[in-house]
Amino acid sequence: MSCEASELNRDRQYCELCGKMDNLLKCGRCRNSFYCSKEHQKQDWKKHKLVCKEAKKGQSLSQPLVQPAVQPAEHEPHQLCGAEKEGEPQKTPAEPECNSASQSADDPGPFNLPADGERMRDFITPADGSGSMSDTKQTRDGIKTNGQTKSRPQKFAMEYIVPCMNKHGICVVDNFLGEDRGLCILEEVKSLYDTGRFTDGQLVSQKSDSSKDIRGDKITWIEGKEPGCEKIGFLMSRVDDLVRHCNGKLGNYKINGRTKAMVACYPGNGTGYVRHVDNPNGDGRCVTCIYYLNRNWDAKDHGGLLRIFPEGKAQFADIEPRFDRLLFFWSDRRNPHEVQPAFSTRYAITVWYFDAEERARAKEKYLTGAGEKGVKVELNKPSEV
């Protein structure tokens, strides 16, 4: 098995509960499902036993079996998993690194996109019409241009966001609201943080402190109607405007709502979020949208890149969390991603948009996300531009 094939095979393996992609354990019965821990396998067992292959054979499934998920080495194409021990996860054997970041003839490095000559700017554009990302100039205090969307939201959505998402699954908009409004939102976020509104980020169904090893952010959930959160509410209305104009054109999705805004802070000190998938189990979330609030961010010094690993591609996309930058990407297994260690305070606001049909199916199967991620709110009314 080639190194590239092994890497792509690993990209299809996720914890069925939380979406984590590292140090996985494989179900010892069906050998098709993966978990990051014995605890998460037990939490998911009520659902998984309905589809576990051994269940169809009528065997006793009172307890799940786990075994390490082994990535076959290139010189061992038929390597098998080690002996199983019921309920006893084993350590994953060491495997050769197949780093998609390495430069080679077969791996051109950070996400150059398809081999038809298109460049990074094909999914990054300024909302103010000032040119490509590379043309966007920054001053010492942040983005130079005021940056309010000059083109009508409907035109911008249909001519840029829709084709970009349908082609690449990732879309970046720079200078989304402009410096003045961006700074007002940043002040609200800082005020929320300073008044103790943030708590440690949690995983779906997470009941222990082990999530700190997976994600290091602190979060709070905001609807936008709370006192002192009016500018965050304005941001959500503007994003809702774009999504409303895209609706029915983003893949086959019919968006009928979203989550509240998850306001997140990585407090520096090397905090990050390991590679994971937002929606590995079909919980209804179809589009992830992130707005960044970090002035004068320099990834070389501050780290904190969002690295996306588009499914089926050897390349990756590095997204810097720049001030007044808006990011869209598919929430499902097509876009595993990670937040690399941040060494300066890093702020972001994230919402997830729901597909009506997938969310209805998830509600029938009790697969909607736990906590605030599972709470649907209606899109805001069209904002005044």
Side-chain angles (χ1 to χ4, degrees):
M1 182 183 294
S2 67
C3 184
E4 180 178 351
S6 177
E7 182 72 13
L8 292 178
N9 183 54
R10 186 178 71 175
D11 285 347
R12 297 186 179 96
Q13 298 174 357
Y14 313 83
C15 174
E16 294 289 339
L17 191 65
C18 70
K20 182 185 175 184
M21 302 179 70
D22 297 323
N23 301 320
L24 297 177
L25 303 169
K26 182 187 293 184
C27 173
R29 288 192 166 90
C30 70
R31 297 175 177 267
N32 288 328
S33 296
F34 299 86
Y35 297 93
C36 65
S37 66
K38 183 177 178 181
E39 178 184 354
H40 275 199
Q41 189 193 30
K42 287 183 176 180
Q43 291 180 29
D44 192 54
W45 182 239
K46 184 176 180 180
K47 174 176 69 71
H48 177 61
K49 70 179 180 180
L50 301 176
V51 296
C52 189
K53 285 185 177 180
E54 291 297 330
K56 298 178 182 179
K57 298 179 182 179
Q59 296 188 11
S60 174
L61 295 178
S62 58
Q63 294 292 330
L65 286 175
V66 293
Q67 67 175 151
V70 175
Q71 311 299 329
E74 182 176 0
H75 60 282
E76 295 175 325
H78 302 294
Q79 180 179 350
L80 300 177
C81 296
E84 309 170 3
K85 291 185 179 180
E86 183 165 343
E88 195 75 23
Q90 302 170 9
K91 293 184 178 180
T92 304
E95 61 182 65
E97 292 189 6
C98 297
N99 191 346
S100 60
S102 61
Q103 303 275 337
S104 68
D106 296 326
D107 182 1
F111 205 64
N112 293 323
L113 290 178
D116 56 4
E118 295 169 333
R119 292 173 292 177
M120 183 77 122
R121 67 183 185 183
D122 288 323
F123 64 82
I124 300 182
T125 194
D128 62 359
S130 62
S132 70
M133 178 190 69
S134 58
D135 297 328
T136 303
K137 299 185 182 300
Q138 296 187 356
T139 66
R140 184 166 176 258
D141 294 325
I143 301 294
K144 183 177 181 180
T145 57
N146 193 38
Q148 295 184 40
T149 306
K150 291 184 178 179
S151 59
R152 292 179 178 275
Q154 182 176 8
K155 181 178 180 181
F156 190 72
M158 296 304 298
E159 295 185 0
Y160 175 62
I161 295 176
V162 168
C164 186
M165 283 292 288
N166 288 335
K167 187 170 187 178
H168 305 304
I170 304 170
C171 182
V172 181
V173 180
D174 279 329
N175 308 341
F176 179 57
L177 295 178
E179 184 174 4
D180 292 342
R181 283 174 170 164
L183 287 174
C184 290
I185 296 169
L186 177 59
E187 288 305 310
E188 286 188 349
V189 170
K190 286 183 175 179
S191 177
L192 289 171
Y193 189 79
D194 291 341
T195 54
R197 291 281 297 275
F198 285 59
T199 59
D200 289 340
Q202 294 290 305
L203 304 174
V204 177
S205 300
Q206 183 67 43
K207 299 178 181 179
S208 67
D209 292 335
S210 62
S211 62
K212 294 180 180 179
D213 298 328
I214 299 175
R215 59 185 296 182
D217 57 339
K218 295 182 179 296
I219 66 171
T220 189
W221 293 89
I222 298 296
E223 188 171 353
K225 300 177 182 179
E226 301 88 342
C229 298
E230 293 81 7
K231 300 303 181 183
I232 296 175
F234 174 79
L235 166 67
M236 303 323 302
S237 294
R238 291 298 298 272
V239 177
D240 285 352
D241 284 349
L242 286 179
V243 172
R244 185 180 291 107
H245 291 307
C246 294
N247 203 5
K249 306 291 193 304
L250 293 174
N252 296 318
Y253 296 125
K254 301 293 183 183
I255 293 172
N256 70 337
R258 58 166 169 81
T259 65
K260 295 179 183 179
M262 185 187 79
V263 184
C265 172
Y266 289 87
N269 302 317
T271 50
Y273 197 153
V274 302
R275 187 160 66 159
H276 65 284
V277 174
D278 285 348
N279 175 19
N281 298 316
D283 63 18
R285 291 178 291 164
C286 61
V287 175
T288 300
C289 180
I290 307 176
Y291 181 72
Y292 292 112
L293 289 159
N294 309 294
R295 303 178 74 199
N296 307 312
W297 192 269
D298 186 344
K300 292 182 180 179
D301 295 330
H302 304 146
L305 286 171
L306 179 74
R307 176 164 289 182
I308 304 177
F309 304 84
E311 184 181 48
K313 293 183 172 66
Q315 302 115 322
F316 52 79
D318 279 344
I319 310 297
E320 291 190 27
R322 295 183 180 181
F323 179 80
D324 201 26
R325 167 171 281 182
L326 185 68
L327 166 67
F328 297 92
F329 60 90
W330 302 132
S331 303
D332 60 15
R333 300 187 179 205
R334 286 172 288 182
N335 282 319
H337 56 282
E338 66 187 16
V339 176
Q340 298 190 338
F343 299 98
S344 184
T345 304
R346 179 188 188 276
Y347 293 109
I349 299 175
T350 303
V351 291
W352 289 271
Y353 287 88
F354 290 115
D355 172 60
E357 292 185 5
E358 182 179 307
R359 180 167 172 81
R361 291 194 301 268
K363 290 177 72 174
E364 290 178 1
K365 299 178 181 179
Y366 306 100
L367 293 177
T368 53
E372 297 288 358
K373 286 183 181 178
V375 177
K376 191 190 85 168
V377 298
E378 300 300 323
L379 302 187
N380 289 344
K381 295 180 180 179
S383 62
E384 296 181 4
V385 179

